[in-house]
């Protein structure tokens, strides 16, 4: 008599640690977001995938470990500068905050992305579908704005019901389509969706747009890119809009032939010559662009300058280990803490030279590894390497004006894609799985 396998056979998927699990998480984003559990689920999936398998390629391992090391150095700084020196009770809780945890999760996402090939056809299509979902949600938001609703927000999620006054629950456990955000008296209606704040949506939209470029089906590619661009534009993040423009120019530059590049350079030099002959002070014109950008949302720009000034002053007072975690708000009524809104100034304030140095090493290794991969690939894999490089440069572009540690989980597909694209093609498991019912693993059809 044979013993039957005791597993239930109702056609439910068998959740195993592979790229199909990550794809399922991406395509189920709306459900987890509506329940307020998206961040928790993202963390659980990434840790599971990172634990199940290790990358083979040296570059992917090196990049992942370098990002994890930022969190470890920040943890050390938090112990020495916070728990040990000043606030032993409060400080213990800070050790498990996003200031430490976010960096580690970014590194684990890169590790898992390389180990499980999270830049494959399956993941690209899942990201494109995520972008497509943004479009109807944005239309619902547009309807709410037309009806005069100041925000479209649900606080009836599991984290908000458990801890309604927790800032972490509000940022990572609520569900909002759009919010009315005020900074030093300026009010702006901004799309936010699955992200803790609007600039995170801007970065996420860039990731969705660039990854969707690699989708084979032109209809899904257009929908994914359209959703990503909608996220970037209606987040009203000046940083994201600028980065999106640079990514578009970078994609065009790296895709065209050498003669066309030489033509572009020649035209640019000719234009520069005529500008100089016309006695146009183009250097001061370029320098004035920053002032014009700051003037678009003067209140936000002023708040950031105040934060950066106080952060640097704090760094000078404790340059080695910093202060352990972010400080008090620079504004008596609004939440604008010292050490926030910038990876550069934030790490200098919270982790000193030690944590900031770890970040410089990590982002440098990431960009250099991206260039190495770009110069070693051809054909379709080169397109993947182009997106890898542009996403790496986008993180570098964001680091001065945004705290990357708070975005690693909401934008985990960016870090996972970086890991997957860094892994050599012949080392990736389940290469180029198509997102179709005929080619998905058998466990997704029942048994």
């Amino acid at each position: 008599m044979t013993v039957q396998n005791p597993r239930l056979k109702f056609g439910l998927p068998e959740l195993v640690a592979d790229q199909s699990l990550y794809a399922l998480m991406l395509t189920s984003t709306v459900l987890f977001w509506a329940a307020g559990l998206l961040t928790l689920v993202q963390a659980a999936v990434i840790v599971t995938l990172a634990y199940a398998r290790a990358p083979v390629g040296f570059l992917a391992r090196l990049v992942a470990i370098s990002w994890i090391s930022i969190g470890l150095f920040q943890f050390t700084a938090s112990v020495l500068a916070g728990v040990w020196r000043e606030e032993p009770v409060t400080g213990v809780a800070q050790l498990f905050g996003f200031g430490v945890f976010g960096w580690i999760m970014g590194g684990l996402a890169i590790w898992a992305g390389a180990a499980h090939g999270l830049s494959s056809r399956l993941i690209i299509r899942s990201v494109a579908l995520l972008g497509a979902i943004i479009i109807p949600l944005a239309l619902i938001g547009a309807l709410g704005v037309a009806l005069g609703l100041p925000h479209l927000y649900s606080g009836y999620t599991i984290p908000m019901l458990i801890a309604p006054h927790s800032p972490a629950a509000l940022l990572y456990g609520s569900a909002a389509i759009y919010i009315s955000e005020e900074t030093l008296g300026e009010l702006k209606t901004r799309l936010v969706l699955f992200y803790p704040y609007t600039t995170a949506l801007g970065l996420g939209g860039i990731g969705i747009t660039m990854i969707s470029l690699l989708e084979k089906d032109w209809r899904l590619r257009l929908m994914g890119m359209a959703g990503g661009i909608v996220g970037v534009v209606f987040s009203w993040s000046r940083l994201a809009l600028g980065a999106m423009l640079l990514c578009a120019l970078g994609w065009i530059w790296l895709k065209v032939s050498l003669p066309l590049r030489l033509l572009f350079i020649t035209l640019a030099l000719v234009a520069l010559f005529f500008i100089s002959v016309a006695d146009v002070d183009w250097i001061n014109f370029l320098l004035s662009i920053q002032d014009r950008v700051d003037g678009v949302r003067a209140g936000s720009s002023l708040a950031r300058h105040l934060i950066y000034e106080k952060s640097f002053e704090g760094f000078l007072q404790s340059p080695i280990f910093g202060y352990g975690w972010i400080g008090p708000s620079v504004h008596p009524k609004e939440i604008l803490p010292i050490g926030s809104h910038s990876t550069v100034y934030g790490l200098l304030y919270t982790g000193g030279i030690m944590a900031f140095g770890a970040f410089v090493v990590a982002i440098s290794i990431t960009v250099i590894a991206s260039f190495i991969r770009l110069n070693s690939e051809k054909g379709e894999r080169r397109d993947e390497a182009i997106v890898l490089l542009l996403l790496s440069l986008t993180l570098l572009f964001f680091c001065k004006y945004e705290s990357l540690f708070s975005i690693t989980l909401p934008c985990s597909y960016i870090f996972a894609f970086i890991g997957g694209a860094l892994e050599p093609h012949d080392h990736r498991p389940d290469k180029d799985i198509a997102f179709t019912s005929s080619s998905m693993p058998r466990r997704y059809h029942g048994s």
Side-chain angles (χ1 to χ4, degrees):
M1 180 177 178
T2 59
V3 178
Q4 296 290 329
N5 191 324
R7 291 183 302 172
L8 295 177
K9 300 182 179 181
F10 296 119
L12 295 175
E14 177 188 344
L15 299 180
V16 297
D18 64 7
Q19 59 181 247
S20 299
L21 176 62
Y22 194 79
L24 181 63
M25 183 202 76
L26 287 174
T27 54
S28 304
T29 290
V30 171
L31 298 178
F32 295 126
W33 168 65
L37 300 176
L38 181 58
T39 301
L40 180 62
V41 170
Q42 288 171 325
V45 169
I46 289 171
V47 170
T48 300
L49 293 177
Y51 177 78
R53 182 186 175 98
V56 177
F58 171 75
L59 282 179
R61 284 174 176 260
L62 180 63
V63 172
I65 291 172
S66 69
W67 282 84
I68 293 172
S69 70
I70 304 172
L72 298 179
F73 278 110
Q74 182 64 62
F75 179 87
T76 303
S78 297
V79 171
L80 296 177
V83 176
W84 182 257
R85 286 185 188 175
E86 298 177 9
E87 304 173 30
V89 177
T90 306
V92 172
Q94 294 284 354
L95 296 179
F96 301 97
F98 270 89
V100 173
F101 183 67
W103 295 117
I104 294 175
M105 291 308 303
L108 289 179
I110 295 172
W111 182 277
H116 297 275
L118 299 185
S119 61
S120 67
R121 298 294 110 204
L122 175 63
I123 303 304
I124 290 170
R125 180 155 294 189
S126 300
V127 171
L129 289 171
L130 179 61
I133 292 171
I134 290 177
I135 298 174
L137 292 176
L139 291 174
I140 294 173
L143 179 61
V145 172
L147 294 174
L149 301 177
H151 53 76
L152 209 53
Y153 162 84
S154 172
Y156 296 101
T157 60
I158 295 174
M160 288 298 292
L161 292 174
I162 295 174
H165 302 295
S166 168
L170 177 64
L171 287 174
Y172 295 94
S174 60
I177 292 181
Y178 68 86
I179 58 174
S180 294
E181 190 173 71
E182 183 177 353
T183 305
L184 300 184
E186 289 188 352
L187 189 64
K188 189 74 174 180
T189 300
R190 307 175 71 181
L191 208 62
V192 61
L193 298 179
F194 325 118
Y195 303 86
Y197 50 89
T198 53
T199 310
L201 168 60
L203 177 61
I206 293 172
I208 290 172
T209 304
M210 298 309 299
I211 295 172
S212 295
L213 271 172
L214 304 174
E215 168 57 37
K216 295 293 186 181
D217 188 314
W218 67 270
R219 293 160 297 187
L220 283 175
R221 181 167 65 249
L222 287 179
M223 287 192 294
M225 291 178 64
I229 292 171
V230 165
V232 172
V233 172
F234 291 100
S235 69
W236 298 114
S237 167
R238 296 162 294 173
L239 183 62
L241 289 167
M244 186 75 260
L245 176 60
L246 293 177
C247 282
L249 294 174
W251 173 265
I252 294 171
W253 175 261
L254 293 170
K255 288 290 289 181
V256 300
S257 62
L258 179 59
L260 281 176
R261 292 184 194 176
L262 294 176
L263 177 61
F264 292 156
I265 294 174
T266 302
L267 292 175
L269 291 175
V270 170
L272 181 61
F273 171 76
F274 280 108
I275 289 174
S276 300
V277 170
D279 199 25
V280 176
D281 191 353
W282 60 273
I283 296 179
N284 285 332
F285 173 77
L286 293 176
L287 292 175
S288 69
I289 291 178
Q290 180 66 51
D291 295 332
R292 298 180 185 183
V293 171
D294 289 344
V296 173
R297 291 176 58 221
S300 176
S301 300
L302 177 59
R304 287 178 179 273
H305 288 312
L306 287 173
I307 292 170
Y308 301 160
E309 182 180 342
K310 295 295 183 182
S311 298
F312 193 70
E313 289 176 359
F315 158 69
L316 293 178
Q317 295 173 8
S318 182
I320 306 300
F321 302 112
Y323 278 83
W325 48 81
I326 60 176
S329 177
V330 299
H331 193 274
K333 296 182 179 179
E334 299 184 32
I335 303 175
L336 300 168
I338 303 172
S340 65
H341 290 76
S342 172
T343 299
V344 173
Y345 290 104
L347 280 175
L348 287 173
Y349 179 82
T350 61
I353 288 293
M354 184 172 61
F356 176 71
F359 171 75
V360 171
V361 170
I363 196 67
S364 300
I365 290 175
T366 305
V367 173
I368 292 170
S370 301
F371 272 110
I372 293 173
R373 183 63 67 220
L374 176 65
N375 292 326
S376 63
E377 300 291 353
K378 297 180 180 179
E380 292 183 4
R381 278 285 284 176
R382 189 173 188 276
D383 289 348
E384 187 177 311
I386 290 174
V387 174
L388 161 66
L389 175 61
L390 293 176
L391 290 179
S392 300
L393 292 174
T394 298
L395 294 178
L396 178 61
F397 186 76
F398 264 70
C399 72
K400 181 181 177 182
Y401 299 102
E402 208 49 62
S403 301
L404 291 179
F405 67 82
S406 61
I407 303 179
T408 51
L409 272 177
C411 300
S412 66
Y413 47 85
I414 293 178
F415 293 87
F417 183 92
I418 288 173
L422 284 172
E423 189 76 341
H425 190 57
D426 54 347
H427 292 165
R428 291 194 341 197
D430 304 324
K431 295 186 287 291
D432 297 335
I433 296 176
F435 198 64
T436 62
S437 59
S438 61
S439 59
M440 288 188 71
R442 181 175 177 81
R443 56 184 165 271
Y444 271 78
H445 298 286
S447 49

